[in-house]
Amino acid sequence: MATIEECRTALDKLSDNLAGAEGDVRSAAALDRSLSCCITDLDITFVGRLKDGRIEVLETLQGPPRERAQIRLTMKGDDLVSMVNGELNFAKAWGSGRVKLEAGLRDLFRLRTLL
């Protein structure tokens, strides 16, 4: 089972990957939205913002998020680490229910390029 530190490192790596992206991926990630990433097996939630193509984690909460973020991810810690390391395909994990992504319809259309 991934640790809190491994999950935080994975989010930082994902942020670096998004910031270094070009073209459609870069424009899809260039939103300014509140973001939460709930790690179910650790019962924690990373809360922050997706802004200018980077993920900024502002706090780590015990349990589910207190407020509903505009973009919400829910998954196990191992799945987060595996996705960021390229070992788990996001689209397949999302399609099978291993990863949940919730957002407004317009944001989902923009984020689909990241899949």
Side-chain angles (χ1 to χ4, degrees):
M1 181 167 71
T3 65
I4 293 172
E5 293 79 19
E6 289 170 324
C7 291
R8 176 59 195 257
T9 299
L11 285 173
D12 289 342
K13 183 177 178 181
L14 177 59
S15 178
D16 291 343
N17 292 347
L18 291 174
E22 296 179 0
D24 290 342
V25 173
R26 176 73 178 160
S27 64
L31 298 168
D32 183 5
R33 301 286 190 272
S34 59
L35 174 76
S36 67
C37 181
C38 183
I39 307 298
T40 57
D41 55 338
L42 297 175
D43 194 30
I44 61 157
T45 301
F46 296 99
V47 178
R49 291 201 73 78
L50 174 62
K51 186 174 181 179
D52 298 325
R54 294 202 66 86
I55 297 170
E56 179 184 1
V57 176
L58 302 173
E59 62 182 320
T60 304
L61 306 173
Q62 191 67 37
R66 295 183 186 116
E67 295 180 20
R68 185 177 163 141
Q70 292 166 304
I71 299 172
R72 300 167 302 282
L73 290 163
T74 304
M75 68 193 80
K76 291 184 178 180
D78 288 340
D79 290 338
L80 173 62
V81 172
S82 294
M83 277 191 312
V84 172
N85 289 334
E87 299 160 359
L88 177 63
N89 179 280
F90 180 85
K92 288 182 182 179
W94 186 34
S96 70
R98 286 175 68 176
V99 173
K100 293 180 184 167
L101 170 64
E102 298 174 273
L105 189 57
R106 287 176 48 197
D107 288 340
L108 284 174
F109 280 125
R110 286 192 70 183
L111 292 170
R112 77 179 188 279
T113 354
L114 301 176
L115 306 178

